[in-house]
Amino acid sequence: MFNFDWLSGVSQETAKMIFLSLYGVIGLLVLLLPTDYVYEGIAKEDRHWWNNLKLWSIAVLSILASIYYHF
Amino acid sequence: METDEINAGIKAAQINNALGFFIITFGVIVLFAMIFTETFVEHMTDMVAGLILISIGGGMMWKAKSNIKKLKAKQEK
Amino acid sequence: MLAGIDYFIVIAYIIGMLLLGLYFKKFVNSSEDYFLGGKSLPFWAIGMSIVVSDIGALDFVGVSGQAYRYGISVGNFDWVGSVPAMLLAAFIFIPYFWRGGMYTIPEYLGRRYNQKVRTIASVTWILFFALDLGVLFWASAVLLNVLMGWPIWISIISTAGVVGLYTYFGGITAVIMTDVVQFVIMFIGGFALVFLSLYEVGGWDNMVDKIATMGPEYRNHFDIIQPQDTKSPFPWTGILFGLTFVMANAYMIGNQSIVQRCLTAKNEWHAKASMIFGSALKMFIPILVLFPGLMAVVVHPGLADGDQALPMMIKSILPPGLVGLMFAAFFAGLMSSVDSLLNSTATLFTKDIYEPFIKKGADDKHYLKVGQITTLVLLVIGVATSPISSDFPGIYVAIQTFMSYFQGPIFAILLLGIFWKRTTEWGGLSALVIGIGFAIYLNVFKEQFFTIEDPFLYISWWSFLLGAIINVTVSLLTKKHTDEQLQGLVFSSKILVKNKKV
């Protein structure tokens, strides 16, 4: 049990899909955050799209997913 | 802008100025190291790395100096 | 040994760091300046600092060595082992610590659970950080001895002198800003190394082809996901359960030196952004340390010690000037690990031990002085204990292994503490103590439980799971905290929609 033998039947391809789905789920959760929350700390009139941390997170997750897709 | 914010801005700019100077110095040293290289590839690598360091450091110093000027002017108002 | 311009660069770097650190003295006027940089730092500096402090010189060499032996799967630690955890930290944990005006993680644990949990967590960290200091001083001394030919004791004292002075005077601002310089230099040197190595091996595709023909042991070198029955320490099950779910989170959320950096941000947006920016930068780290290790398989095949891969690549591939710069970055990596330990330990001692137990309610200047004196005392302890490393060469690994015992249980109590308001003080305390005990037990009898050689990923997962189960069970059996006690300490959707203190 401690060695996760019960997962030995899962192929490397399926495992890769598990990782990719995980990134998808995290991306979805980030998108669900209220926009006001990710801008907190910046005055309302100074908020620009490039300060939107949701976009930053999605960009990072996309790069991560493409690395795992490629290798 | 409040005094606190101006002071924090000046502090950040002074820090960046010092960092920029430090990075420029290393850029110059790496550029100088070109004279010790033997092949063309080595020559170019030192040159590119040195120039990148100088431009990063220079950019930081230039931005910091202009920020200090701006903030000091605001402070005097 | 280095010579000529490279020798000069390392010396210039050390002296430059000292001057830079001393310059930051003028920004330290209060304990908040010393421990939290006056809450004025920008996200990009903190992000760079998080990345750099995570990658000391020892890891730099170690990761390349593992890439040489096991291939690209080592990159999991900087990819899946960082990004999800850093996003979780950025959006959930850091805002709580930030809004609560906290200095240390044990401080949160103390408010959420009780003073005992705070003290146990803090004392444990202080002890290990203090012991780690000696090891790092020794490692720096050995590096300087090899690079510059200086005698060991002169190397130790000069490292301690430089790092000690700038940390003593400049506090965390000096720690973070010297990291920024290191980051810039490391990235430029690292990319030059990757570029020249690729040129040397005839391009990426050529390297992949060459490695593929080298024998069956290199078959999985380019698979990021390793099968469950792999002989390497990185089966995908360990990466998913041990690394992604536990160790990565414990490191990014439960590590004082990381969290303290985020708390120096000038506002909440900068605090969150620093983590996300750091996660973006972190994805490049494998390119800098892992790829040279892989390329060394082609350039220097058959190395007996994989850890030699990176130093050999630097010496054989980089031109004069950049060799010195890269080794200066190596040395800076060690200095940044030492300065992080010094400042974090001083913060833990001042805030979690001195303030509650020795002198409550003193003025701010007093705590600033205590923080500075603690830094000096730690420095002396570090120097005095450094020879232990030469008598026990495995001590670095031993300390790291021992630290990993805490990761699972600490993360279990942090996670349940913030997400489940039914968790009680006794639940937290018993989970911490029993979880750590279980991790030690699994490690001592690892041959009986695990089939892979170094099962630290599995141990962290199982100790986390047991810690969580104990926490839930004991909490359900003990008296729950009142809503007033939990004010601002437990996750509530109000924090997302109202943007106010909850």
Side-chain angles (χ1 to χ4, degrees):
Chain A
M1 184 189 84
F2 283 129
N3 290 293
F4 291 90
D5 312 324
W6 40 283
L7 285 174
S8 59
V10 178
S11 68
Q12 271 170 277
E13 284 69 36
T14 316
K16 189 178 262 196
M17 285 313 295
I18 296 174
F19 279 89
L20 290 172
S21 327
L22 179 72
Y23 306 146
V25 172
I26 297 171
L28 208 67
L29 289 174
V30 169
L31 287 177
L32 286 175
L33 289 170
T35 309
D36 262 358
Y37 178 65
V38 297
Y39 278 121
E40 182 65 23
I42 301 185
K44 281 241 166 25
E45 58 277 14
D46 291 332
R47 293 179 181 182
H48 306 284
W49 65 268
W50 61 82
N51 298 126
N52 189 343
L53 296 177
K54 281 197 223 181
L55 292 181
W56 293 29
S57 311
I58 297 298
V60 172
L61 283 168
S62 311
I63 302 172
L64 185 67
S66 60
I67 293 170
Y68 278 75
Y69 180 77
H70 187 74
F71 291 109
Chain B
M1 227 193 273
E2 286 175 27
T3 326
D4 278 358
E5 249 177 90
I6 293 177
N7 286 339
I10 292 177
K11 172 186 164 183
Q14 284 173 332
I15 289 175
N16 288 347
N17 193 26
L19 293 184
F21 179 74
F22 190 94
I23 293 171
I24 278 194
T25 311
F26 275 86
V28 172
I29 298 174
V30 171
L31 215 54
F32 173 73
M34 273 170 70
I35 57 172
F36 298 101
T37 54
E38 283 160 12
T39 65
F40 175 71
V41 175
E42 286 186 346
H43 205 70
M44 292 311 286
T45 313
D46 268 3
M47 194 175 90
V48 173
L51 287 178
I52 292 178
L53 283 171
I54 289 175
S55 44
I56 293 175
M60 284 173 85
M61 280 182 81
W62 174 75
K63 181 101 180 68
K65 288 224 154 87
S66 75
N67 276 353
I68 291 176
K69 223 181 192 175
K70 239 188 273 168
L71 291 166
K72 286 241 162 101
K74 260 186 197 162
Q75 207 173 29
E76 280 161 16
K77 265 184 202 174
Chain C
M1 214 175 93
L2 294 179
I5 187 83
D6 296 318
Y7 188 94
F8 172 74
I9 286 181
V10 177
I11 297 269
Y13 197 94
I14 295 172
I15 295 173
M17 280 283 169
L18 181 64
L19 295 177
L20 201 58
L22 292 179
Y23 173 73
F24 293 133
K25 183 184 169 202
K26 70 180 197 176
F27 302 120
V28 177
N29 297 311
S30 67
S31 70
E32 191 182 75
D33 291 337
Y34 194 71
F35 297 125
L36 296 182
K39 289 205 166 195
S40 65
L41 302 183
F43 76 90
W44 54 268
I46 303 169
M48 288 180 184
S49 177
I50 289 174
V51 174
V52 166
S53 69
D54 183 24
I55 174 162
L58 300 172
D59 309 281
F60 219 134
V61 173
V63 172
S64 304
Q66 285 182 324
Y68 187 88
R69 283 188 291 268
Y70 306 119
I72 205 165
S73 60
V74 185
N76 276 310
F77 283 83
D78 288 302
W79 288 324
V80 72
S82 295
V83 177
M86 290 173 95
L87 295 184
L88 180 69
F91 289 122
I92 304 292
F93 285 87
I94 296 297
Y96 268 90
F97 297 151
W98 172 270
R99 291 179 189 193
M102 289 168 207
Y103 281 74
T104 71
I105 298 165
E107 192 178 343
Y108 171 80
L109 293 174
R111 288 197 211 170
R112 177 63 187 85
Y113 293 104
N114 61 24
Q115 198 64 27
K116 290 189 196 72
V117 176
R118 177 181 184 176
T119 312
I120 290 178
S122 197
V123 167
T124 317
W125 264 316
I126 291 172
L127 283 178
F128 282 102
F129 282 176
L131 204 58
D132 222 6
L133 267 178
V135 177
L136 287 171
F137 275 133
W138 189 260
S140 323
V142 170
L143 188 70
L144 278 184
N145 179 261
V146 173
L147 289 182
M148 319 291 279
W150 297 352
I152 289 283
W153 272 105
I154 292 189
S155 306
I156 290 181
I157 291 183
S158 45
T159 314
V162 171
V163 183
L165 278 174
Y166 77 68
T167 316
Y168 175 84
F169 287 116
I172 198 156
T173 309
V175 169
I176 290 178
M177 290 303 170
T178 47
D179 282 354
V180 170
V181 175
Q182 189 206 340
F183 178 91
V184 172
I185 285 178
M186 201 169 82
F187 262 57
I188 289 174
F191 273 112
L193 180 64
V194 170
F195 171 75
L196 291 179
S197 310
L198 271 176
Y199 178 77
E200 183 83 12
V201 298
W204 177 263
D205 291 340
N206 204 19
M207 177 188 72
V208 175
D209 290 346
K210 274 187 183 157
I211 292 180
T213 57
M214 290 177 88
E217 68 268 35
Y218 294 101
R219 206 185 43 199
N220 288 330
H221 250 55
F222 289 94
D223 289 340
I224 196 161
I225 305 287
Q226 297 283 316
Q228 182 268 338
D229 56 357
T230 177
K231 285 283 168 272
S232 82
F234 319 120
W236 73 268
T237 40
I239 294 293
L240 184 67
F241 290 97
L243 178 67
T244 313
F245 292 157
V246 182
M247 285 187 84
N249 294 308
Y251 183 77
M252 291 299 168
I253 295 158
N255 187 318
Q256 175 64 23
S257 56
I258 298 290
V259 171
Q260 194 180 340
R261 280 169 163 71
C262 293
L263 300 178
T264 62
K266 58 171 100 164
N267 60 37
E268 189 180 316
W269 184 85
H270 278 266
K272 289 176 187 153
S274 67
M275 267 284 178
I276 303 172
F277 182 62
S279 75
L281 297 175
K282 227 165 176 311
M283 284 194 295
F284 291 98
I285 294 293
I287 300 177
L288 303 184
V289 292
L290 187 156
F291 285 11
L294 278 176
M295 291 166 198
V297 177
V298 178
V299 181
H300 301 288
L303 282 182
D305 179 7
D307 288 354
Q308 286 297 314
L310 191 64
M312 284 193 76
M313 288 295 279
I314 291 176
K315 277 196 166 171
S316 61
I317 293 210
L318 283 180
L322 284 184
V323 173
L325 205 67
M326 266 318 258
F327 281 116
F330 260 40
F331 184 66
L334 275 167
M335 290 206 291
S336 98
S337 309
V338 174
D339 63 31
S340 293
L341 284 182
L342 280 176
N343 192 266
S344 300
T345 318
T347 313
L348 285 168
F349 176 78
T350 312
K351 288 287 161 187
D352 294 327
I353 308 292
Y354 189 85
E355 202 174 320
F357 293 113
I358 301 174
K359 193 163 183 177
K360 249 185 213 166
D363 64 32
D364 186 71
K365 287 271 179 235
H366 179 78
Y367 294 123
L368 169 64
K369 209 77 226 145
V370 171
Q372 289 181 317
I373 292 170
T374 312
T375 307
L376 278 189
V377 172
L378 284 165
L379 205 63
V380 174
I381 294 176
V383 171
T385 55
S386 60
I388 294 176
S389 293
S390 71
D391 300 332
F392 304 99
I395 194 164
Y396 177 74
V397 179
I399 290 175
Q400 297 304 316
T401 312
F402 221 82
M403 279 300 283
S404 75
Y405 295 159
F406 299 98
Q407 309 274 34
I410 281 275
F411 182 55
I413 63 170
L414 268 171
L415 191 72
L416 282 168
I418 210 157
F419 280 114
W420 194 43
K421 65 179 190 178
R422 184 65 185 80
T423 317
T424 66
E425 52 182 316
W426 295 110
L429 187 61
S430 45
L432 190 63
V433 175
I434 297 174
I436 292 171
F438 185 59
I440 295 173
Y441 172 74
L442 284 181
N443 196 61
V444 171
F445 297 102
K446 62 184 173 194
E447 280 83 12
Q448 290 170 30
F449 293 113
F450 302 103
T451 46
I452 53 175
E453 202 181 305
D454 190 4
F456 66 102
L457 290 174
Y458 287 156
I459 292 178
S460 65
W461 164 257
W462 293 117
S463 58
F464 161 78
L465 195 66
L466 185 78
I469 293 171
I470 298 275
N471 198 346
V472 171
T473 316
V474 176
S475 293
L476 288 173
L477 296 173
T478 45
K479 190 169 162 262
K480 66 176 177 184
H481 294 229
T482 61
D483 284 349
E484 290 77 53
Q485 285 174 311
L486 298 176
Q487 187 78 16
L489 297 170
V490 179
F491 182 81
S492 146
S493 52
K494 280 185 202 154
I495 193 176
L496 298 179
V497 288
K498 285 195 175 166
N499 285 320
K500 285 184 186 141
K501 285 200 171 190
V502 283

